[in-house]
Amino acid sequence: SALSRGFVARIEIAYQDIAGYVPLELTITSTSRFTADRSFVLRLEPLPGARTPPRNGMVIQVPVAVAAGSKSVTLNRYIPKWSAGHSYRARLFEGGQELPGYEGLIGNPVLQGGSRTLNVLAREYRSDWVFVDAKDRITGGDERRVRRMLAPLTDASPVAASGRGTFGEVSLTVVGPNDLPEDWRGYQRYDMVILTESSLQELSTKPARLETLRQWVLTGGAVLGFDVASPEQLIRQLEFSWTDRVKSRNQVVKSAGTIIARREYEQSLLQERRRQLETYLERVESGITIASEMSEFGIPTAENLQTRRDELADIIKQQRAAVKIREQQPWLNLTASEWADRVWTQSAGAGMIVGLKGDQGVIAKMHWQLAAPALANQASPTLRRGVDPLIGDRRFSQWMIPGVAQPPVYTFIGLLTAFVILVGPVAYRRTTRYGRGYLMFAIAPVLAMVTTLAMFGYGVVADGFGTIARVRQLTWIDGASGDAAQRIRSTYFAGIRPGDGLTFPADAEVIGYPESSGVSWEEADRSTPALVGDVFLSDQKQGFGSSFLPSRQQRQFVVHQPKPQTGVVSLQGSSGAARQLSSTLSLPLIRVVVCDGAGNYWLADDLLPGQSVAAESLSSQDASKNLGTIYTEHLLSLIHISEPTRHDSGSRMPSRDG
């Protein structure tokens, strides 16, 4: 029946069982050519029992236009998913009518029962790494080669982050440069991207894919340069600027010193044990009385002496092996400061770039142990987003709009007090004074009805009929290129549900922040299946239907979005002279605190776009105080928004408070 209409529709959705944005490719191909312009809508609906939690289902609608005379059209979109599971019912519509024959099921539902909850939790504790090889076509031999090469990292990962298991089980994917995502949201399912010098050079010939990777790093992603020659080369090929931060270097030196000191302490304990055993055995064999401090070795029977000789032989064997390992692995003899030349860390926007330099092309476990602490905040998509879209957390209450959708207790108390006064001292005394007390049987119910209507009316009108938002926006800017990434946490309240819902930029990642009152995974998994709403995806915007913002309820969202060419703030002048701060940002800056490459802090107020102002030198303590003042002064931002409700992080909105 599909072919009888003269075209075939093909849908491909990448397998992604966790929450996030999923790549979708829709191809419509005519058997000849389309004779007229056509407009279709692909509708994806969640299947019953195919999601956990079941209450987080969303209906996705993707419009696609076909021009007359064309043979085929291919559309790529990223669809949001706030649940675990991977299955959809796909249908094709035209002119509001479903096309018979263009329907199918995609993906597999999650496992039924309690085991599926455990599977979801297991993925949260797993690290998903992607290794980018220089080859476009990856074979089984290439994967085995990469896994052997990365063995020191995967072996060291369970204790990489202070023994907390942040980088526990590792799932490694090997891809070529052409297999990398073309949208930054395609990297969100991974915890780290690993590059070599050769793959970096190959990636630099593909500017679009390199830019996508940079956007992901700016929004919180982590890149590991494996066995690179220098930090400057690694950072430059990723089109960032190497800053050689003193703080990062000192952190590596401190961590390396701790590991080296622990290793030397263990060796000293082993050497001390050997000395004690040798002394004990020499005294026994010479017939010397055993000192009281050596009584722990026990009575010198034949069996006990053999046990001590075996222990001594094992210690000598361990020490000889350690000497041999040090000869074969020269990095074990490196000092803490020398390790700082082999492990580099640098933040880029909200993300992190780490470089490892091997000795004779070999990466040791200690490389990873020194690099892992810098990557702890990028260890999972949940940490990068700052929200668990499946069940949320109790921090929902920390960012609510105060004073709305709450009972006006004091107003109600005032109305009830006025009612009591009118019914008692006023109405009763006046009616009895004139001998008409029987009128109270009519006055009291009327006053009660008026008071009830007044309370109800005030409760409806007090919060208004428009939309209010409480917004906090953080922007990370790369100081060299001016590219930036934004993170926005917003709470919306609508007196009346907006007809057009919410609108977000097309390239943004929009994650709902559900309210949680301590609900467990098992309880959330047993919840009643429900649809959050309809999502409309075009090449210009993401439209979230009105059901995402119901009347008189507070709803929260976290949005991430790259913002190319945002502008920069630069510090000019030599370190010994007066310094100037200049800005190419489009927004005025009220207060600016700057830290230069040498670790010195500077302050400036009222920095306008395109202007320069004198900078004041600050101590680290004063810089900390100023940053704290900025944080507290701009803690709250309340915005009144008229319909339709839009969320455009590129525009300035009037702020009522903050």
Side-chain angles (χ1 to χ4, degrees):
S1 59
L3 290 176
S4 65
R5 294 181 176 271
F7 67 91
V8 176
R10 177 182 175 84
I11 304 171
E12 292 186 9
I13 299 180
Y15 178 80
Q16 181 174 314
D17 208 12
I18 62 175
Y21 271 68
V22 186
L24 161 73
E25 182 177 283
L26 170 62
T27 303
I28 298 179
T29 305
S30 174
T31 54
S32 57
R33 290 188 180 276
F34 288 98
T35 58
D37 293 342
R38 307 281 294 271
S39 295
F40 304 100
V41 174
L42 172 66
R43 184 180 176 90
L44 300 174
E45 302 170 348
L47 298 175
R51 295 285 188 274
T52 180
R55 65 191 180 196
N56 284 5
M58 289 188 290
V59 176
I60 310 296
Q61 299 187 61
V62 182
V64 54
V66 180
S70 60
K71 173 71 175 178
S72 177
V73 61
T74 299
L75 195 69
N76 292 286
R77 292 285 184 269
Y78 273 76
I79 60 177
K81 182 163 67 73
W82 299 349
S83 57
H86 181 80
S87 60
Y88 306 89
R89 179 191 179 196
R91 294 188 292 168
L92 198 64
F93 290 76
E94 185 177 18
Q97 300 295 321
E98 181 180 357
L99 299 179
Y102 293 90
E103 178 181 349
L105 301 180
I106 303 175
N108 299 313
V110 294
L111 297 175
Q112 299 296 320
S115 60
R116 68 176 177 179
T117 302
L118 298 177
N119 292 335
V120 172
L121 288 172
R123 287 191 293 273
E124 286 295 319
Y125 287 100
R126 184 187 67 194
S127 295
D128 294 296
W129 297 353
V130 56
F131 180 90
V132 183
D133 198 84
K135 296 181 179 180
D136 286 331
R137 186 175 181 181
I138 305 301
T139 64
D142 295 326
E143 291 190 3
R144 290 189 291 271
R145 170 179 54 84
V146 171
R147 293 182 186 279
R148 287 194 301 268
M149 185 170 59
L150 298 181
L153 305 189
T154 56
D155 291 345
S157 60
V159 292
S162 304
R164 293 176 297 171
T166 304
F167 300 91
E169 178 188 354
V170 174
S171 175
L172 180 64
T173 303
V174 183
V175 300
N178 290 331
D179 297 325
L180 292 176
E182 297 181 342
D183 189 293
W184 74 271
R185 293 169 294 187
Y187 285 99
Q188 284 290 67
R189 61 180 297 185
Y190 299 112
D191 301 318
M192 187 169 64
V193 174
I194 304 175
L195 301 167
T196 63
E197 289 191 11
S198 57
S199 60
L200 269 171
Q201 293 174 358
E202 183 66 25
L203 192 59
S204 63
T205 63
K206 307 177 188 300
R209 297 186 185 273
L210 180 61
E211 178 60 24
T212 299
L213 178 61
R214 291 185 71 254
Q215 291 177 353
W216 179 64
V217 174
L218 286 171
T219 52
V223 169
L224 175 70
F226 189 86
D227 197 17
V228 294
S230 65
E232 294 86 354
Q233 179 180 357
L234 170 64
I235 303 300
R236 184 175 61 253
Q237 288 184 302
L238 289 173
E239 299 184 3
F240 292 105
S241 292
W242 169 244
T243 58
D244 192 16
R245 293 295 298 269
V246 176
K247 182 178 180 180
S248 299
R249 181 182 177 86
N250 291 342
Q251 182 62 44
V252 173
V253 172
K254 181 180 179 180
S255 299
T258 301
I259 295 175
I260 293 173
R262 186 187 306 119
R263 186 171 60 209
E264 292 178 348
Y265 176 71
E266 291 173 353
Q267 291 296 323
S268 66
L269 290 179
L270 199 63
Q271 178 61 29
E272 177 62 20
R273 183 66 173 179
R274 175 180 176 176
R275 186 192 64 79
Q276 292 176 353
L277 286 170
E278 290 176 340
T279 302
Y280 174 77
L281 293 174
E282 288 177 359
R283 290 188 175 186
V284 171
E285 293 173 356
S286 302
I288 302 176
T289 302
I290 302 300
S292 59
E293 63 268 14
M294 303 191 69
S295 59
E296 61 172 299
F297 293 106
I299 301 174
T301 62
E303 181 179 356
N304 182 49
L305 290 176
Q306 185 59 42
T307 301
R308 300 309 173 189
R309 292 190 184 98
D310 293 341
E311 182 182 356
L312 178 59
D314 185 62
I315 292 177
I316 295 174
K317 183 179 179 180
Q318 292 182 44
Q319 291 180 328
R320 289 175 178 174
V323 172
K324 188 175 182 180
I325 291 175
R326 284 180 175 273
E327 294 174 352
Q328 296 175 347
Q329 302 178 4
W331 56 83
L332 293 175
N333 300 312
L334 297 176
T335 63
S337 59
E338 288 174 332
W339 271 110
D341 296 326
R342 287 162 171 78
V343 178
W344 317 296
T345 63
Q346 176 173 306
S347 59
M352 181 65 64
I353 302 174
V354 174
L356 307 181
K357 178 183 179 182
D359 289 88
Q360 300 176 352
V362 178
I363 298 294
K365 291 183 180 180
M366 189 166 172
H367 282 87
W368 178 242
Q369 292 171 342
L370 295 176
L375 298 170
N377 292 334
Q378 285 81 17
S380 74
T382 299
L383 288 176
R384 293 195 299 272
R385 296 184 180 116
V387 56
D388 180 0
L390 302 183
I391 61 174
D393 56 54
R394 296 183 180 179
R395 293 180 301 163
F396 182 94
S397 60
Q398 298 177 3
W399 199 246
M400 296 180 68
I401 301 175
V404 299
Q406 298 176 1
V409 177
Y410 295 107
T411 302
F412 286 178
I413 291 176
L415 290 173
L416 291 173
T417 302
F419 167 76
V420 171
I421 293 173
L422 289 175
V423 171
V426 177
Y428 178 75
R429 291 189 61 182
R430 292 183 70 88
T431 54
T432 55
R433 180 180 179 181
Y434 294 106
R436 297 182 177 182
Y438 59 87
L439 293 178
M440 286 299 299
F441 291 100
I443 294 175
V446 170
L447 288 178
M449 182 177 296
V450 171
T451 303
T452 302
L453 292 175
M455 294 172 64
F456 177 78
Y458 182 85
V460 173
V461 176
D463 293 330
F465 300 99
T467 302
I468 303 175
R470 183 183 184 187
V471 179
R472 164 158 289 172
Q473 174 178 304
L474 299 176
T475 303
W476 291 270
I477 303 178
D478 176 50
S481 64
D483 295 336
Q486 289 181 343
R487 175 179 180 177
I488 305 167
R489 181 175 178 181
S490 54
T491 303
Y492 293 100
F493 171 82
I496 297 180
R497 175 184 298 185
D500 291 341
L502 295 162
T503 301
F504 297 90
D507 62 342
E509 180 192 57
V510 184
I511 299 294
Y513 202 131
E515 183 177 7
S516 175
S517 56
V519 177
S520 66
W521 282 83
E522 291 78 6
E523 292 173 324
D525 186 49
R526 292 193 297 266
S527 61
T528 303
L531 293 176
V532 185
D534 291 7
V535 180
F536 184 85
L537 302 177
S538 69
D539 58 347
Q540 300 294 328
K541 65 181 181 179
Q542 301 179 64
F544 287 72
S546 59
S547 58
F548 283 89
L549 190 57
S551 301
R552 310 189 64 77
Q553 294 184 33
Q554 297 196 37
R555 293 295 173 89
Q556 295 187 17
F557 301 88
V558 173
V559 180
H560 291 89
Q561 181 188 9
K563 301 289 290 187
Q565 301 301 311
T566 299
V568 297
V569 174
S570 57
L571 185 64
Q572 301 169 346
S574 60
S575 59
R579 309 297 294 271
Q580 295 282 324
L581 273 175
S582 62
S583 170
T584 61
L585 300 173
S586 60
L587 300 176
L589 303 178
I590 300 174
R591 178 170 293 180
V592 184
V593 177
V594 176
C595 179
D596 60 21
N600 301 316
Y601 292 91
W602 305 85
L603 171 68
D605 292 328
D606 299 325
L607 181 57
L608 300 178
Q611 294 187 0
S612 298
V613 297
E616 175 189 351
S617 178
L618 289 178
S619 65
S620 59
Q621 292 82 2
D622 290 337
S624 178
K625 292 179 181 179
N626 275 274
L627 290 174
T629 301
I630 293 173
Y631 184 87
T632 54
E633 287 181 352
H634 301 277
L635 180 63
L636 174 64
S637 178
L638 288 178
I639 303 170
H640 289 278
I641 307 174
S642 59
E643 271 190 78
T645 303
R646 299 187 180 276
H647 190 126
D648 184 357
S649 56
S651 62
R652 297 190 66 193
M653 298 181 179
S655 175
R656 188 181 77 181
D657 185 7

